[in-house]
């Protein structure tokens, strides 16, 4: 990427980092106005982030979905946008303090990787590829929102502290609904990826490491829903499950690609 693009990209990450710091400061020192004010920083950062995606799209001539940097750029946008929407709708702006660090992580890793534009080769020019990627980011964004809500819940209820009933219910409901949405879109992602794999590699499923970890992640979130619906798990128990489950998402998205070379992805 050009020097100008790099400056804007890293400045966006700085904005997101400042908003997280403001929210943490607001919680630590009981200054809720800091957390509320940080929301507007997130809005500003997301607008710049959107411009970066459009800029990259114009520069490469295709939707930015090729390579680690472009996936991080677009994936980070989904996480931030869904976190902002959920926090605003639930009137719980502190949600960003729990969820945005994941966007910062993947975008920072993407930013220090190979950022050179890549052409859209013939094997990637598939309708199913775009469906696969779109629903993957919806799922990962939803899982991150669920994890962010879980982290907020754990912090707010640490050392035996109790939340007001309406806040307790709101966070529990957000954890549940975000997980349901993520689980559903994750299933569509896996199905679309299988159809694309059949056309590209000749088989719907090849037990590729990324495929395997994605399936494992989907099953774990399915278990989380089972624990909630069938066994009535709520509160800190469910929050811990969702906080741990996000690790499988990070491994399937980044870990396999960083640590293993023998993967079709």
């Amino acid at each position: 990427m050009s020097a100008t693009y790099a400056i804007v990209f890293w400045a966006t990450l700085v904005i997101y980092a400042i908003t997280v710091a403001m929210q943490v400061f607001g919680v630590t020192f009981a200054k809720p106005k800091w957390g509320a004010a940080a929301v507007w920083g997130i809005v500003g950062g997301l607008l710049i982030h959107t411009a970066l995606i459009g800029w990259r799209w114009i520069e490469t001539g295709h939707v930015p979905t090729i390579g680690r940097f472009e996936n991080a750029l677009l994936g980070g946008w989904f996480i931030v946008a869904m976190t902002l929407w959920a926090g605003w709708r639930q009137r719980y702006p502190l949600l960003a303090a729990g969820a945005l660090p994941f966007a910062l992580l993947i975008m920072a890793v993407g930013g220090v990787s190979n950022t050179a534009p890549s052409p859209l080769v013939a094997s990637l020019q598939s309708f199913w590829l775009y469906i696969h990627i779109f629903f993957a980011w919806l799922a990962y964004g939803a899982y991150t929102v669920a994890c962010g809500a879980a982290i907020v819940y754990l912090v707010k209820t640490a050392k035996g502290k109790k939340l007001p009933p309406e806040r307790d219910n709101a966070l529990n409901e957000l954890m549940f609904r975000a997980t349901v949405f993520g689980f559903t879109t994750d299933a569509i992602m896996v199905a679309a990826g299988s159809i694309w794999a059949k056309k590209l590699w000749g088989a719907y499923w090849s037990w590729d490491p990324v495929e395997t970890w994605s399936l494992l992640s989907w099953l774990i979130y399915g278990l989380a829903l089972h624990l909630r619906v069938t066994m009535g798990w709520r509160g800190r128990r469910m929050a811990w499950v969702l906080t741990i489950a996000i690790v499988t998402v990070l491994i399937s998205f980044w870990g396999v690609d960083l640590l293993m070379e023998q993967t079709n992805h």
Side-chain angles (χ1 to χ4, degrees):
M1 57 181 164
S2 67
T4 303
Y5 193 99
I7 291 172
V8 178
F9 174 81
W10 290 108
T12 304
L13 265 64
V14 169
I15 292 173
Y16 288 151
I18 290 174
T19 61
V20 171
M22 289 176 65
Q23 294 202 330
V24 172
F25 178 85
V27 172
T28 304
F29 296 98
K31 295 183 180 296
K33 290 184 178 180
W34 280 73
V39 173
W40 295 107
I42 300 172
V43 171
L46 186 63
L47 291 175
I48 300 172
H49 196 157
T50 304
L52 283 170
I53 293 174
W55 186 348
R56 184 75 173 191
W57 194 335
I58 294 172
E59 184 180 46
T60 61
H62 59 75
V63 180
T65 56
I66 308 303
R68 190 177 298 162
F69 172 71
E70 292 186 2
N71 274 306
L73 179 68
L74 193 59
W77 186 93
F78 271 91
I79 292 174
V80 175
M82 294 178 73
T83 300
L84 180 65
W85 178 83
W88 208 307
R89 184 177 179 83
Q90 295 291 333
R91 299 186 182 279
Y92 218 111
L94 294 179
L95 176 65
L100 252 61
F102 294 101
L104 285 169
L105 174 63
I106 66 170
M107 290 179 70
V109 174
V112 298
S113 64
N114 182 11
T115 61
S118 300
L120 189 65
V121 297
S123 61
L124 299 177
Q125 296 179 15
S126 168
F127 168 78
W128 290 108
L129 171 64
Y130 289 112
I131 296 296
H132 175 64
I133 292 174
F134 176 71
F135 279 95
W137 283 125
L138 284 178
Y140 292 170
Y143 288 154
T144 306
V145 168
C147 180
I151 291 172
V152 172
Y153 191 94
L154 290 172
V155 171
K156 287 289 189 178
T157 59
K159 298 181 180 179
K161 291 184 291 186
K162 297 291 185 179
L163 282 170
E166 66 277 5
R167 287 298 193 185
D168 189 283
N169 290 332
L171 282 174
N172 271 289
E173 192 68 10
L174 179 57
M175 286 189 284
F176 174 65
R177 290 183 179 274
T179 303
V180 170
F181 183 79
F183 182 76
T184 304
T185 51
D186 200 353
I188 298 173
M189 180 271 288
V190 172
S194 297
I195 295 173
W196 176 53
K198 174 64 174 178
K199 293 179 178 294
L200 185 61
W201 301 314
Y204 289 107
W205 196 267
S206 57
W207 294 106
D208 177 83
V210 174
E211 291 177 340
T212 304
W213 272 101
S214 296
L215 177 61
L216 176 62
S217 179
W218 183 72
L219 291 173
I220 288 175
Y221 279 99
L223 173 63
L225 291 176
H226 173 75
L227 292 173
R228 166 64 191 267
V229 174
T230 305
M231 303 183 67
W233 280 34
R234 293 169 59 89
R236 291 182 64 84
R237 288 195 300 181
M238 182 53 60
W240 276 116
V241 170
L242 296 177
T243 301
I244 295 171
I246 198 69
V247 174
T248 63
V249 176
L250 294 174
I251 292 175
S252 63
F253 181 73
W254 284 117
V256 174
D257 186 43
L258 289 173
L259 300 176
M260 302 186 65
E261 295 182 358
Q262 296 181 345
T263 170
N264 291 328
H265 289 74

